[in-house]
Structure formats: structure tokens, C-alpha cells
Amino acid sequence: MPFFPTLPDDAGVRHILALNPAAGRALVEFHSAALRSDSQLTARDKELIAAFVSGLNACQYCYGVHKETAMAFGVPESL
């Protein structure tokens, strides 16, 4: 059961973002700027950090997405 009763039982991030489309777009833009822009950190490192922080936040969805993305960038699952 979702936290917001107006959401369907299988609610995911797309449903949350749809509640406020402008905020959803801003979040996606922030995500792209933070994780995919050129910097001293590689995309691999950024995804590893994002997975770690999402784990600390106990957000299973974000942790899973960042973990899989980090692995796609070459981070071993054991790390």
C-alpha cells in the first residue's frame, strides 16, 4: 500500500513525479546534472556514492537503481 492513498498499489517513482510535474522535471534535471556532468568524479564513482547514500536513506528503489547502474559502470557487486 502506498503512502499516499490517491496512488495505485503498484505506485512507483513515475507516479510520485506525476503528482507535481514541474518538480518532477526539476528532479530529473538535477539528477542528470549531478550524476552525468563532467567533474573530477567518474560516473562510476557518482553511482557508487548514490547507491551508498540511498542505502543509508533506506530507499530500496533508489538503492536498487543506483546499484545496478554502478554495476553497469563496472563496480563489482561485492563492493
Side-chain angles (χ1 to χ4, degrees), residues 54-69:
S54 295
L56 292 176
N57 291 336
C59 180
Q60 292 178 341
Y61 174 83
C62 292
Y63 172 75
V65 169
H66 291 299
K67 174 189 162 198
E68 292 298 322
T69 306

Side-chain angles (χ1 to χ4, degrees), residues 14-79:
R14 66 184 171 91
H15 293 96
I16 299 297
L17 296 178
L19 292 174
N20 185 331
R25 281 189 301 277
L27 181 61
V28 170
E29 288 176 20
F30 170 76
H31 176 273
S32 296
L35 295 177
R36 297 296 175 260
S37 62
D38 290 334
S39 75
Q40 293 176 325
L41 295 173
T42 65
R44 176 185 189 264
D45 294 336
K46 292 175 188 178
E47 287 296 340
L48 181 60
I49 293 166
F52 181 77
V53 171
S54 295
L56 292 176
N57 291 336
C59 180
Q60 292 178 341
Y61 174 83
C62 292
Y63 172 75
V65 169
H66 291 299
K67 174 189 162 198
E68 292 298 322
T69 306
M71 288 171 48
F73 279 116
V75 175
E77 185 172 10
S78 61
L79 185 58

